[in-house]
Amino acid sequence: MTATAFTPMASLVGGALIGLSAVMLMAFTGRIAGVSGIAARLFPPYEDGEFAGRLAFVAGLVAAPLVVLVATGRLPAQTIQANSAMLILAGLLVGFGSVWGNGCTSGHGVCGLSRLSMRSLVATMTFMATGIATVFIARHLG
């Protein structure tokens, strides 16, 4: 088992930025910052005239490491301890889960819980329990 780095300041700043972006999106557009919903609505059929805003939101997620590169002179370290087949399976399961659960971790876990949504509480408990069970199985039985 590999050790996990404890990064309280980076985690605090990152969490604050996620919360700030969720509040700003709600304040300026009245929309919830659910990443899976925003990304899914980049594809037809287009429901409204917010394509540019959605594209900018997703582009910001993709461009974030470049901002870190400019600010610090190096890219964030990335370690993925899985093969391609496992990553593809994981991506499909996450995609299925976010469609089936009508949202993802950002929509339910960040925005839904802050609005005291019971549906988001159940969804968040479900994906957290699934994640905990997956890590336990992978580390202890796999």
Side-chain angles (χ1 to χ4, degrees):
M1 177 166 59
T2 59
T4 303
F6 181 60
T7 58
M9 288 311 296
S11 301
L12 179 65
V13 170
L17 289 173
I18 289 170
L20 177 64
S21 67
V23 168
M24 289 175 59
L25 188 64
M26 178 64 82
F28 294 135
T29 69
R31 300 279 186 185
I32 293 173
V35 176
S36 64
I38 291 170
R41 288 184 194 92
L42 286 174
F43 301 100
Y46 303 111
E47 298 173 6
D48 52 33
E50 295 184 17
F51 179 82
R54 288 189 180 102
L55 186 61
F57 188 91
V58 172
L61 294 174
V62 174
L66 300 176
V67 173
V68 172
L69 175 63
V70 169
T72 66
R74 61 190 168 125
L75 286 171
Q78 295 291 315
T79 303
I80 300 174
Q81 298 177 349
N83 60 39
S84 297
M86 188 60 70
L87 291 174
I88 291 169
L89 176 62
L92 291 172
L93 288 173
V94 168
F96 172 77
S98 64
V99 169
W100 192 40
N102 278 338
C104 59
T105 55
S106 54
H108 285 302
V110 175
C111 299
L113 290 180
S114 65
R115 293 181 303 115
L116 304 177
S117 165
M118 184 57 69
R119 185 174 78 135
S120 291
L121 176 62
V122 171
T124 303
M125 289 184 346
T126 301
F127 62 68
M128 290 300 293
T130 303
I132 291 165
T134 301
V135 170
F136 179 83
I137 291 168
R139 289 190 176 176
H140 299 287
L141 304 176

